[in-house]
Amino acid sequence: MAVEIRIFLLAAVILYFMEIIHLLKKKRLNLKYSLLWLAVGVLMILFIIFPEIISAFSNLLHFQSSMNALYILLIGFLVIICVALTSIVSNQNRHIKRLTQNAALLEERIRRIERLECIHMSDCNTDAQFGENLDETFKNE
């Protein structure tokens, strides 16, 4: 690999690391998710400094070209990223469902308490008044 290409690629990886650190500082990327991206950056640096790694990998698996081995590595990495992101989305979906169910239970509990207060105070005329305060609270948010 030509020296100019290596210098350009190293500069690109440095910018890559700077962007990840920027996202971490702005709290737009969680540390546990950024570790994977940092590991990819380290691998990129290793491949740039030691391109023989890719050649050795391609020879070990009997690829005709180092580029074919690189493409296989990239596709494998993308599959791993997709599986990891699918797992994260599934966990978030389960968490949101649980929070929604808890909010509905709390809302029902508040309405029951309002009904009991109304019955004890005898100042409520209809069932429509039960929960009006709660509905207006959620509308204002």
Side-chain angles (χ1 to χ4, degrees):
M1 188 182 319
V3 176
E4 295 85 13
I5 294 174
R6 284 185 178 183
I7 292 171
F8 174 77
L9 291 175
L10 282 173
V13 172
I14 289 170
L15 289 173
Y16 171 82
F17 278 120
M18 289 172 57
E19 180 63 19
I20 290 174
I21 291 169
H22 174 72
L23 291 173
L24 281 169
K25 284 182 179 179
K26 296 287 183 180
K27 306 265 189 221
R28 295 180 66 199
L29 186 64
N30 288 341
L31 181 62
K32 68 180 181 178
Y33 303 133
S34 67
L35 293 177
L36 181 62
W37 297 112
L38 292 172
V40 168
V42 169
L43 282 176
M44 285 191 286
I45 288 177
L46 286 175
F47 290 158
I48 292 168
I49 295 174
F50 306 109
E52 304 85 27
I53 295 173
I54 297 173
S55 297
F57 178 73
S58 65
N59 290 336
L60 179 68
L61 297 178
H62 303 291
F63 285 105
Q64 290 180 355
S65 168
S66 295
M67 289 307 294
N68 292 343
L70 184 61
Y71 287 135
I72 292 297
L73 285 173
L74 290 175
I75 290 170
F77 172 73
L78 291 175
V79 168
I80 290 169
I81 291 293
C82 286
V83 169
L85 291 176
T86 302
S87 171
I88 291 166
V89 167
S90 296
N91 286 335
Q92 293 295 327
N93 190 21
R94 191 170 36 254
H95 187 67
I96 289 169
K97 182 179 179 181
R98 192 172 344 126
L99 287 173
T100 304
Q101 290 171 344
N102 285 340
L105 290 172
L106 289 172
E107 184 177 335
E108 179 60 28
R109 186 180 292 174
I110 290 170
R111 288 180 189 222
R112 285 183 189 167
I113 291 170
E114 285 178 348
R115 283 188 191 125
L116 287 174
E117 286 178 357
C118 249
I119 291 171
H120 290 299
M121 298 173 90
S122 300
D123 63 351
C124 296
N125 297 332
T126 64
D127 284 343
Q129 291 177 343
F130 300 130
E132 280 182 4
N133 296 336
L134 183 65
D135 291 337
E136 293 200 13
T137 301
F138 285 119
K139 286 179 187 175
N140 292 334
E141 289 182 357

